[in-house]
Amino acid sequence: MKKVIFGITSLVFVFLIIYYLVPTIIMNDVKSKVIEKNSGIENIVTINQTGAWGEWFLEFVLVVEIEGQPFRIWVDRSGDITDKEQL
């Protein structure tokens, strides 16, 4: 009985780690691709993911600095800018 409880607890723990770790890894990957593809971006202030688990596409919203001016940009997972507005 103790082995079953330990196994279930371990499984829940692994799922929680994956649930919190995978989005962080994806966002760090998107940040590096955005900086790599867009040399004019000086600083990434924030990044957020729009959408939810299970959607067919992922889009990210970033607040960045371009030539000292703050911009909000929307990018896809490959780091390509789909829209941009000055704040």
Side-chain angles (χ1 to χ4, degrees), residues 34 38 41 66 73-76 79-84:
V34 166
N38 305 289
I41 294 177
I66 302 173
I73 61 171
W74 287 262
V75 299
D76 57 18
D80 297 324
I81 296 175
T82 58
D83 199 6
K84 174 172 84 172

Side-chain angles (χ1 to χ4, degrees), residues 1-86:
M1 183 68 177
K2 288 183 181 182
K3 288 183 181 181
V4 172
I5 293 174
F6 180 73
I8 292 172
T9 305
S10 299
L11 191 60
V12 169
F13 184 69
V14 168
F15 282 130
L16 286 174
I17 288 174
I18 291 171
Y19 180 77
Y20 287 108
L21 193 60
V22 169
T24 303
I25 292 170
I26 291 172
M27 286 189 198
N28 286 336
D29 184 48
V30 169
K31 279 182 182 180
S32 64
K33 288 179 181 176
V34 166
I35 290 173
E36 177 184 314
K37 290 186 173 188
N38 305 289
S39 60
I41 294 177
E42 301 165 354
N43 185 25
I44 295 178
V45 180
T46 62
I47 181 171
N48 289 306
Q49 176 180 344
T50 61
W53 286 86
E55 288 190 358
W56 288 98
F57 59 91
L58 292 175
E59 187 177 43
F60 299 88
V61 179
L62 292 84
V63 175
V64 298
E65 290 181 3
I66 302 173
E67 297 177 1
Q69 299 295 319
F71 283 86
R72 178 176 291 127
I73 61 171
W74 287 262
V75 299
D76 57 18
R77 188 155 178 192
S78 64
D80 297 324
I81 296 175
T82 58
D83 199 6
K84 174 172 84 172
E85 72 177 4
Q86 187 172 6

